[in-house]
Amino acid sequence: MWSQRRVVDYGLAKKAVVRSLRSGRASRGDVCDAQPYLLRAARHLGEPTERLCPVCERENVTHVTYVYGDSLGRHAGQAKVMSELAAMAHDYDEFRVYVVEVCQGCSWNHLTVSYVLGNGPPDLVGQA
């Protein structure tokens, strides 16, 4: 997306959780704990992926995208579909996007990536 910046990838944290589950240090109940609201958002607003759930390995995970930011007003904290983000990036100065992967079969959920969007000034790298 044209205004995407300050990207944080949570892939290493996800690998650690899955490794902990497979080694027996965590239980399936510890990691498959999606709240009903998140599962509903996955069903109605989620975007399907081609990646199998790392826990049950039976269903593909769904991405649910949430937006947060002071400038969003009543839209803050809402789940959005990716197609809405481009318009929002033009309409708002700055807001943070969080993408959560959810398995609707076993209730696995994990934050995958977050980033900032908006039409505010770009980040100035290397300047104080």
Side-chain angles (χ1 to χ4, degrees):
M1 187 152 315
W2 66 272
S3 71
Q4 188 178 39
R5 55 197 182 273
R6 289 185 253 158
V7 177
V8 178
D9 184 332
Y10 297 91
L12 290 176
K14 174 184 166 181
K15 287 180 184 180
V17 170
V18 171
R19 200 170 325 132
S20 181
L21 176 66
R22 292 193 177 140
S23 71
R25 290 189 311 262
S27 73
R28 191 168 171 162
D30 293 334
V31 299
C32 294
D33 60 352
Q35 298 295 313
Y37 177 78
L38 179 57
L39 292 170
R40 234 181 347 267
R43 189 170 38 258
H44 298 289
L45 296 169
E47 304 200 26
T49 72
E50 296 296 320
R51 285 194 313 279
L52 277 177
C53 171
V55 176
C56 72
E57 297 179 331
R58 288 187 307 248
E59 293 192 31
N60 290 343
V61 295
T62 302
H63 282 170
V64 181
T65 304
Y66 290 95
V67 294
Y68 291 89
D70 294 337
S71 66
L72 295 178
R74 65 181 179 86
H75 296 290
Q78 291 183 352
K80 299 290 183 184
V81 293
M82 289 296 287
S83 60
E84 293 177 281
L85 296 181
M88 290 179 71
H90 286 283
D91 293 342
Y92 297 99
D93 287 341
E94 184 172 282
F95 59 96
R96 184 156 281 280
V97 177
Y98 295 91
V99 180
V100 179
E101 71 175 24
V102 180
C103 177
Q104 296 179 60
C106 73
S107 296
W108 156 263
N109 63 105
H110 200 277
L111 179 61
T112 61
V113 66
S114 70
Y115 51 90
V116 171
L117 289 178
N119 62 21
D123 292 343
L124 301 175
V125 179
Q127 294 193 9

